């Protein structure tokens, strides 16, 4: 598949969209009700004068994963600014997620933003939406499949590039042996992250599969692996809650391993500040949610297509570690990083 990982025009579009987040994000949403009003902590600004449209966001988010709270907050902020009624739904089961897309089609929404964690399972539902004349954009998961499935645009990070960057980070830190903890087997983005780590890391990388919906099981599985192999010096997790659990596993195992992770939340930022977690790779989920909704509004009102429908808009990766964590801590405290 054709990719434009470092095309400056892509980043220019992302930069302009980021500026729009800061300058035009609203503080309440007609779609989120009381929850949106309480959670959207953004600068007050005018609301679009265009007729209200309805946009569905359908994700593979599992219950309780704080990463997706950031996605939703960004989407709600864009909806508030754009006079959009946001219909948010999620399910980690791919077949159920596909049914949620059908529900959105039945509601005759004006646009759909969707994640393609398991693209083959989503293909038919996406095709039905497009056949119904509903524009569809992708975000967060599906970098290798969005164009093949006919999506207009894609917002997220290149997970292979992010993994390769993390592998190089481990090299710089002098690591020799890491485990890459995958919390959902078959999730293409998670597999790509660990494959990227393995590609550039000069030491030994092992994938460790855990049941991400059962955190006590995650903890015990990582602990057992660390007890089994004292040579493991880094635990790499693929989400902030799993990193925080890994810190507990390291302590329980009496291991000297350090913890690094993909993705942020406010508790993870504190862990980086305290030294329990050494670094995080930030893909800016708030920005992904915001741009996905805003792009559909722009397409419907002005025919705009970010990246020209050819190149993805990259929102990461960027490292957050002890050297720069204070610069994002205040945003994390507000629940937007």
């Amino acid at each position: 598949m054709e990719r434009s990982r470092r095309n400056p025009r892509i980043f220019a579009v992302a930069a302009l969209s980021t500026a729009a987040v800061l300058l035009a994000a609203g503080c309440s949403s007609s779609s989120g009700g009381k929850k949106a009003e309480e959670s959207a902590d953004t600068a007050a600004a005018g609301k679009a004068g265009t007729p209200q449209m309805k946009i569905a966001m359908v994700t593979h988010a599992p219950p309780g994963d704080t990463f997706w709270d950031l996605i939703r907050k960004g989407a709600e902020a864009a909806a508030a600014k754009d006079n959009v009624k946001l219909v948010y739904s999620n399910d980690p089961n791919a077949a159920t997620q596909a049914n949620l897309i059908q529900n959105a089609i039945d509601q005759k929404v004006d646009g759909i933003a969707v994640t393609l964690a398991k693209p083959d399972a989503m293909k038919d539902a996406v095709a039905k939406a497009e056949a119904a004349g509903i524009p569809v954009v992708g975000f967060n998961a599906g970098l290798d499949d969005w164009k093949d499935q006919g999506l207009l645009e894609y917002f997220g990070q290149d997970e292979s590039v992010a993994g390769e960057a993390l592998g190089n980070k481990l090299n710089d830190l002098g690591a020799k042996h890491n485990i890459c903890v995958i919390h959902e087997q078959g999730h293409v983005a998670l597999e790509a992250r660990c494959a990227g780590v393995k590609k550039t890391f000069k030491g030994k990388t092992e994938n460790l599969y855990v049941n991400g919906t059962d955190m006590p099981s995650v903890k015990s599985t990582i602990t057992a692996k660390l007890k089994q192999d004292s040579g493991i010096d880094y635990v790499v997790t693929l989400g902030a809650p799993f990193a925080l659990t890994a810190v507990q596993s390291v302590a329980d195992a009496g291991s000297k391993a350090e913890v690094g992770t993909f993705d942020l939340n406010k508790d993870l930022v504190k862990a980086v500040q305290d030294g329990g977690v050494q670094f995080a790779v930030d893909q800016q989920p708030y920005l992904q949610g915001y741009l996905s909704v805003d792009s559909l509004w722009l397409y419907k009102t002005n025919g705009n297509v970010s990246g020209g429908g050819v190149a993805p808009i990259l929102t990461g990766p960027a490292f957050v570690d002890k050297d720069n964590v204070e610069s994002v801590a205040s945003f994390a405290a507000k629940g937007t990083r």
Side-chain angles (χ1 to χ4, degrees):
M1 173 183 168
E2 179 185 340
R3 293 183 180 174
S4 300
R5 295 175 176 167
R6 298 176 178 84
N7 188 329
R9 294 180 62 188
I10 297 172
F11 289 99
V13 173
L16 289 172
S17 297
T18 304
V21 174
L22 297 175
L23 294 174
C27 61
S28 64
S29 172
S30 61
S31 60
K34 182 174 176 59
K35 179 179 179 181
E37 292 173 5
E38 293 174 343
S39 65
D41 189 1
T42 54
K47 190 173 186 178
T50 51
Q52 186 180 69
M53 65 180 67
K54 183 187 294 186
I55 290 177
M57 175 169 278
V58 183
T59 80
H60 63 278
D65 190 335
T66 55
F67 174 88
W68 295 95
D69 294 340
L70 302 178
I71 294 258
R72 188 168 181 173
K73 283 184 178 181
E76 288 171 345
K81 188 266 293 182
D82 293 337
N83 192 23
V84 163
K85 180 177 181 181
L86 179 67
V87 181
Y88 181 92
S89 59
N90 62 286
D91 199 287
N93 180 278
T96 305
Q97 189 189 3
N99 287 336
L100 293 175
I101 292 178
Q102 182 61 56
N103 290 344
I105 297 170
D106 294 341
Q107 293 180 53
K108 301 185 185 304
V109 298
D110 296 291
I112 298 174
V114 66
T115 59
L116 302 178
K118 295 177 180 176
D120 289 343
M122 306 298 293
K123 188 174 183 179
D124 289 345
V126 168
K128 288 179 181 178
E130 293 165 347
I134 300 172
V136 183
V137 301
F139 69 100
N140 181 260
L143 179 70
D144 291 329
D145 298 277
W146 70 278
K147 287 204 299 183
D148 290 341
Q149 293 200 18
L151 274 60
L152 287 175
E153 305 161 77
Y154 181 84
F155 305 94
Q157 75 179 358
D158 185 321
E159 303 294 3
S160 296
V161 169
E164 291 169 18
L166 193 148
N168 286 325
K169 178 79 167 179
L170 293 178
N171 292 333
D172 293 341
L173 293 170
K176 302 299 181 185
H177 181 185
N178 80 82
I179 53 172
C180 194
V181 182
I182 300 178
H183 56 267
E184 184 181 345
Q185 191 164 2
H187 185 313
V188 292
L190 301 184
E191 298 282 356
R193 288 179 179 181
C194 288
V197 173
K198 188 172 185 178
K199 181 176 180 179
T200 56
F201 182 51
K202 295 178 181 179
K204 181 179 180 180
T205 297
E206 294 182 71
N207 289 353
L208 180 68
Y209 291 93
V210 298
N211 179 3
T213 62
D214 183 352
M215 203 59 79
S217 173
V218 172
K219 181 181 175 182
S220 62
T221 302
I222 298 174
T223 300
K225 181 64 176 179
L226 292 173
K227 286 183 175 179
Q228 175 189 338
D229 190 344
S230 61
I232 296 169
D233 56 9
Y234 248 94
V235 179
V236 175
T237 62
L238 307 184
F242 306 101
L244 298 172
T245 297
V247 171
Q248 299 174 21
S249 295
V250 169
D252 290 351
S255 171
K256 296 181 179 179
E258 303 283 7
V259 177
T261 190
F262 291 82
D263 299 336
L264 286 174
N265 63 23
K266 62 181 180 180
D267 293 328
L268 195 283
V269 168
K270 187 176 186 302
V272 173
Q273 290 174 310
D274 295 343
V277 176
Q278 300 306 303
F279 61 84
V281 178
D282 184 18
Q283 63 174 303
Q284 301 187 96
Y286 181 95
L287 187 60
Q288 292 176 11
Y290 186 98
L291 294 179
S292 298
V293 171
D294 196 45
S295 69
L296 287 165
W297 177 79
L298 285 167
Y299 177 75
K300 295 288 289 188
T301 60
N302 201 48
N304 296 118
V305 179
S306 298
V310 176
I313 305 304
L314 302 182
T315 63
F319 283 96
V320 175
D321 56 23
K322 63 181 180 180
D323 294 330
N324 65 354
V325 66
E326 298 303 329
S327 67
V328 301
S330 62
F331 301 113
K334 293 190 296 183
T336 57
R337 287 295 293 272

